[in-house]
């Protein structure tokens, strides 16, 4: 028997929004420590890793480890039927071929349950090595989303160059060239609006715009985003899932010997 | 001479929204008791019946009975030119081939008139017998619209099962199955939000989603909707038109011997 | 060296919105008195004339007269990257083939610069003779936009007839006919909402709907619009650009001997 309850459906909706453009289907691995999802995106370029810890749920029970393969478009349709403040309970029997989503209104005058068929998906578990990063940038997630969206108008790649003073994002193409410079914040009054940089050595890397823009679909989850960069290893873009865990996106830098 | 005036155009706009998806053209029968419209929808499956009583208008005059055939898309275009708080006056001569809509701003600094050609439409007057229904459900119109929209994602039909305790709406299809249960309200503080059930005997019927969703276009007219059901007779979905009358939609249940 | 700065990007965004549908590319003539743009629209029917005076800018420097040919779609893409309250600085070297737009956030924590390639455009400078108009109408710009949009549903032309009492806009077509009458305002409490008419003699002219609707893209610039009309000369539709100057659109009346 698997059962996980959240007093509000809104976080689950946001998690789904954060992965549904990258993944058609996904395997959710449920154990007594929580729910894990790890998958390459549909084009096998970037990697998504989602961790939701059991103790962040309002109720959580997982008698035996189960893996539930779900079609994300169907899951989105079902979650759309929940009001943001509905309690949501996800249930499955140990040997189930369906999962049930139950939504309850706060006043208990409306109870909905949606049963969805599970899928058998091939799974590839990828070991992600721990890395010490040359630069770790924390900045407002809305600002990062805005910059990725703006620069996407100018070219297919975005350069991210990090020094102690700040971060420079750049792009160029037919229209011309664009540079956006963000300075490290000196005052720390509002943590959510701050830009902080932990730097071992400067890094300048280039990434495909399209994937960065997909990652920013997670923006509603968290006011801050963390970008971790080192030469020759994938960029890690991390958003906190409030109380439950985090979502991490991995994207290898572009190799541009000719252009630089 | 026919002349009917409303101090605000907003109700007329909402009435039009409630019928324009079901009917391309419609005959408005005007007499000294008011305006009547009765018509099968474009696909001849459901029936629309609209009653606007003369004493609900701010001014009403109808010297001789006239029937005005109007193209609803043109009527929508004209009504879009009125501000919500404009006074609207509908005028026609007894032997007219045009109808005039006059809109006056509250400050009288803007006066618009739109003349529209009338149409000759075949009319079929259908006798609708009075029925004692097994179940009469009153519920918030927004909730009904929400359920019809949600369940339309799961299948082409919606089951409505009514008992003393409450109403169960259900649908199923490729994605899986969905059930939404609404309980009868115990406290009656806010009448608009209440769910009330008058039941002679339980009823469970199935209806085509598409038509129920068209009926819910009337939602802005009224905070409550009334569903009347009996075995083997059409469902009646009724919305009040404030001060003026009501709009009723009739839809026969699906016969599903094989499936049940 | 050319440099022009505005403490807020919002006016520049609105100016661009006001011309981008009419012009694909445009030549901005910069001198020490300000920036001028004059061009026939893409279909060579109407004329756009924009004047931004140097003393309306927060900083302005123009060492030598330069003409900068810009693609307006690219310019729109760049301006979209500015927040409304960003400071915007436009810069170009005297012999430059690029122009730079720099956006600075009020807190100075984000600085962006966008370099855009300039274009060589054929220029046709048209002398616009000063005319004494038979009628000059000032009215709320939103009302004028609303009327043009409403009447566009009924026909391709809009008649504008001006007398001392007021202005009548009319259109007709397949659906029927439409007349909108606006009265001159008697009280002048709110100047922005007033309708004022200066008349030498009554005028009644007809114009192509499509162009009037394009002109109304300038509505966000100014609460009032001024329409100047005389027989046999182009209508002038003028919007104030706050603190900086104005934008004027010229459109010749339709000649409809057969119809009248």
């Amino acid at each position: 028997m698997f059962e996980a309850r959240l007093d509000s459906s809104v976080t689950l909706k946001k998690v789904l929004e954060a992965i549904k453009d990258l993944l058609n289907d996904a395997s959710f691995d449920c154990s007594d420590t929580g729910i894990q999802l790890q998958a390459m995106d549909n084009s096998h370029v970037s990697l998504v890793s989602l961790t939701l810890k059991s103790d962040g749920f309002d109720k959580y029970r997982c008698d035996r480890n189960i893996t539930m393969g779900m079609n994300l478009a169907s899951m989105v349709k079902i979650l759309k039927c929940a009001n943001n403040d509905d309690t949501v309970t996800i249930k499955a029997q140990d040997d189930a071929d369906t999962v049930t989503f139950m939504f309850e209104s706060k006043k208990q005058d409306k109870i909905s349950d949606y049963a969805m068929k599970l899928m058998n998906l091939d799974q590839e578990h990828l070991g992600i090595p721990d890395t010490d990063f040359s630069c770790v940038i924390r900045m407002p997630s809305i600002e990062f989303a805005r910059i990725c969206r703006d620069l996407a108008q100018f070219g297919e790649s975005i350069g991210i160059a990090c020094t102690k003073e700040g971060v420079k994002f750049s792009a160029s193409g037919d229209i011309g060239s664009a540079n956006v410079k963000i300075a490290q914040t000196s005052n720390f009054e509002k943590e959510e609006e701050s830009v902080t940089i932990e730097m071992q050595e400067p890094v300048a890397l280039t990434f495909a715009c399209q994937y960065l823009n997909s990652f920013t679909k997670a923006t509603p989850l968290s006011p801050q985003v963390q970008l971790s960069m080192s030469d020759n290893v994938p960029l890690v873009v991390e958003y906190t899932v409030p109380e439950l865990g985090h979502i991490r996106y991995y994207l290898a830098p572009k190799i541009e010997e000719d252009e630089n």
Side-chain angles (χ1 to χ4, degrees), chain A residues 29 73 95 113 145 152 185 209 217 238:
Chain A
D29 297 318
D95 55 351
D113 53 86
T185 322
C209 238
K217 293 295 192 317
E238 176 175 338

Side-chain angles (χ1 to χ4, degrees), chain A residues 29-148:
Chain A
D29 297 318
C30 306
S31 69
D32 58 356
T33 59
I35 302 173
Q36 278 272 358
L37 180 161
Q38 207 189 81
M40 299 296 288
D41 76 84
N42 299 328
S43 53
H44 279 254
V45 172
S46 67
L47 175 74
V48 183
S49 171
L50 170 73
T51 299
L52 305 175
K53 288 171 295 179
S54 57
D55 53 12
F57 287 87
D58 295 294
K59 185 178 170 184
Y60 192 90
R61 174 184 164 189
C62 184
D63 300 340
R64 280 174 54 186
N65 290 4
I66 57 166
T67 293
M68 297 192 286
M70 303 198 202
N71 176 269
L72 294 189
S74 299
M75 208 174 155
V76 166
K77 282 185 180 177
I78 288 173
L79 262 299
K80 269 194 187 150
C81 301
N83 282 315
N84 279 353
D85 60 350
D86 280 358
T87 298
V88 53
T89 309
I90 308 170
K91 280 188 212 177
Q93 300 301 322
D94 284 344
D95 55 351
D97 58 358
T98 61
V99 58
T100 299
F101 295 85
M102 185 169 75
F103 308 132
E104 294 166 273
S105 67
K106 283 285 174 284
K107 290 192 294 178
Q108 290 288 322
D109 52 355
K110 181 180 175 186
I111 299 175
S112 314
D113 53 86
Y114 295 88
M116 183 174 80
K117 284 160 198 152
L118 292 174
M119 311 169 77
N120 272 317
L121 299 173
D122 284 339
Q123 271 205 284
E124 7 153 28
H125 264 282
L126 302 132
I128 300 166
D130 269 335
T131 313
D132 281 332
F133 289 98
S134 304
C135 294
V136 176
I137 304 157
R138 283 188 199 81
M139 62 183 289
S141 58
I142 287 178
E143 193 62 77
F144 178 64
R146 177 76 198 265
I147 291 169
C148 291

Side-chain angles (χ1 to χ4, degrees), chain A residues 56-260:
Chain A
F57 287 87
D58 295 294
K59 185 178 170 184
Y60 192 90
R61 174 184 164 189
C62 184
D63 300 340
R64 280 174 54 186
N65 290 4
I66 57 166
T67 293
M68 297 192 286
M70 303 198 202
N71 176 269
L72 294 189
S74 299
M75 208 174 155
V76 166
K77 282 185 180 177
I78 288 173
L79 262 299
K80 269 194 187 150
C81 301
N83 282 315
N84 279 353
D85 60 350
D86 280 358
T87 298
V88 53
T89 309
I90 308 170
K91 280 188 212 177
Q93 300 301 322
D94 284 344
D95 55 351
D97 58 358
T98 61
V99 58
T100 299
F101 295 85
M102 185 169 75
F103 308 132
E104 294 166 273
S105 67
K106 283 285 174 284
K107 290 192 294 178
Q108 290 288 322
D109 52 355
K110 181 180 175 186
I111 299 175
S112 314
D113 53 86
Y114 295 88
M116 183 174 80
K117 284 160 198 152
L118 292 174
M119 311 169 77
N120 272 317
L121 299 173
D122 284 339
Q123 271 205 284
E124 7 153 28
H125 264 282
L126 302 132
I128 300 166
D130 269 335
T131 313
D132 281 332
F133 289 98
S134 304
C135 294
V136 176
I137 304 157
R138 283 188 199 81
M139 62 183 289
S141 58
I142 287 178
E143 193 62 77
F144 178 64
R146 177 76 198 265
I147 291 169
C148 291
R149 193 193 65 193
D150 284 349
L151 295 193
Q153 300 186 101
F154 297 90
E156 294 181 0
S157 302
I158 291 182
I160 307 181
C162 182
T163 64
K164 261 209 167 61
E165 288 71 38
V167 192
K168 190 177 86 170
F169 299 88
S170 52
S172 65
D174 292 342
I175 294 176
S177 63
N179 287 296
V180 180
K181 277 169 259 172
I182 301 284
Q184 179 154 210
T185 322
S186 46
N187 73 345
F188 286 85
E189 285 176 39
K190 292 188 185 175
E191 203 191 320
E192 299 194 348
E193 295 177 11
S194 69
V195 177
T196 55
I197 298 168
E198 288 168 31
M199 199 196 81
Q200 312 301 322
E201 51 181 331
V203 181
L205 295 168
T206 303
F207 301 97
C209 238
Q210 173 196 350
Y211 294 97
L212 296 182
N213 269 305
S214 290
F215 303 165
T216 64
K217 293 295 192 317
T219 302
L221 278 168
S222 176
Q224 287 258 314
V225 62
Q226 178 175 301
L227 312 177
S228 305
M229 299 200 298
S230 283
D231 278 335
N232 304 317
V233 303
L235 163 76
V236 186
V237 179
E238 176 175 338
Y239 296 85
T240 299
V241 180
E243 296 176 46
L244 285 166
H246 57 256
I247 183 161
R248 288 187 188 134
Y249 303 95
Y250 296 81
L251 178 64
K254 283 194 169 188
I255 299 158
E256 292 180 297
E257 289 176 41
D258 299 346
E259 290 181 50
N260 295 344

